[in-house]
Amino acid sequence: MILPIVAYGDPVLKKEAEEIDQDYPNLDQLIADMFETMYEASGVGLAAPQIGKSIRLFVVDGSPFAEDEDEEEPDPRAVDMEGFKQVFINPIIEEESGKEWGFAEGCLSIPKIREEVMRKERIKISYFDQNWQLKEEEFDGYKARIIQHEYDHIEGVLFTDHLSVLKKRLLTKRLANISQGIVEVDYRMKFPNTKKGR
Ligand code: NI
């Protein structure tokens, strides 16, 4: 089932999300719905707060970042992106390392805005997978980037929070418009500051 994606301005996006346990009701269905919702919106990641649930869960599929194999100068950050599809439950980023690099991030909750965000190259993360197996893994490149962005969501942080005061001020009007539903978007959203919803 496709769920409406919560837009910028909804308080759920600013809340630190709660851990869940194995008794969480209908978790497999929720995860399947989150993947379906993410694909419908052409996203590479979706965190539970974005569908209105303040829990520590996100899904990713980095396949759109995969390159054609005959690319002349392969992007080292795109290595193994094909099939990078995972579920992260109760994740903890244990460590971030390497040089900071900039990438123009977008967010399904903030349609039509992309801005460069600086993040470190590598992360070490522990989490439970969908079968409640505890994992600890390291990621770099675009994988790390997607995970860092989604992890921020369960901490109540948006990519716009990483921008300079000046840059954010330049976006004020557009962000206010998004929260009111004044934006062209081709997937289902829920806007906090409009009476009708949509
Ligand atoms: Ni996002």
Side-chain angles (χ1 to χ4, degrees):
M1 184 173 65
I2 292 165
L3 306 165
I5 294 175
V6 167
Y8 182 91
D10 191 307
V12 74
L13 296 177
K14 300 302 295 176
K15 251 172 79 176
E16 194 181 330
E18 304 277 343
E19 288 197 340
I20 56 172
D21 58 33
Q22 298 195 32
D23 299 328
Y24 191 85
N26 304 320
L27 184 59
D28 285 340
Q29 186 60 50
L30 174 63
I31 289 167
D33 289 347
M34 284 176 64
F35 273 116
E36 192 183 350
T37 301
M38 180 183 81
Y39 291 134
E40 171 71 15
S42 305
V44 294
L46 185 71
Q50 294 181 276
I51 46 105
K53 293 197 185 301
S54 192
I55 58 173
R56 299 183 77 83
L57 161 68
F58 59 81
V59 301
V60 303
D61 188 340
S63 302
F65 281 84
E67 295 187 315
D68 293 337
E69 282 180 11
D70 50 2
E71 202 74 34
E72 271 182 33
E73 277 184 66
D75 181 347
R77 292 186 165 124
V79 172
D80 293 335
M81 291 307 285
E82 187 63 54
F84 172 54
K85 177 181 177 182
Q86 270 179 244
V87 176
F88 293 82
I89 300 169
N90 298 343
I92 295 173
I93 290 186
E94 308 282 357
E95 203 181 301
E96 289 184 290
S97 60
K99 272 210 314 257
E100 291 206 334
W101 61 292
F103 182 73
E105 295 187 16
C107 181
L108 294 178
S109 294
I110 313 175
K112 300 281 161 78
I113 294 181
R114 296 193 86 87
E115 290 291 341
E116 185 175 89
V117 176
M118 301 296 292
R119 297 186 193 271
K120 288 192 174 169
E121 278 172 328
R122 254 185 309 283
I123 59 164
K124 187 194 279 183
I125 187 169
S126 61
Y127 63 97
F128 291 93
D129 68 11
Q130 192 169 355
N131 302 314
W132 289 96
Q133 298 299 306
L134 181 60
K135 301 272 180 79
E136 186 176 84
E137 281 183 275
E138 292 191 37
F139 296 97
D140 59 14
Y142 295 126
K143 291 181 183 176
R145 174 65 61 157
I146 296 168
I147 293 168
Q148 287 162 320
H149 177 110
E150 299 311 323
Y151 187 83
D152 267 358
H153 274 299
I154 61 171
E155 294 282 295
V157 174
L158 299 172
F159 82 81
T160 47
D161 295 322
H162 292 286
L163 305 178
S164 68
V165 173
L166 174 63
K167 257 194 182 162
K168 186 142 188 205
R169 193 185 299 148
L170 293 172
L171 292 174
T172 307
K173 180 69 184 160
R174 289 173 69 195
L175 291 171
N177 281 346
I178 288 171
S179 73
Q180 292 170 53
I182 306 169
V183 62
E184 281 296 320
V185 62
D186 57 8
Y187 48 88
R188 213 172 138 213
M189 291 194 82
K190 182 171 162 269
F191 300 99
N193 295 333
T194 170
K195 286 196 187 93
K196 291 189 300 190
R198 210 164 94 173

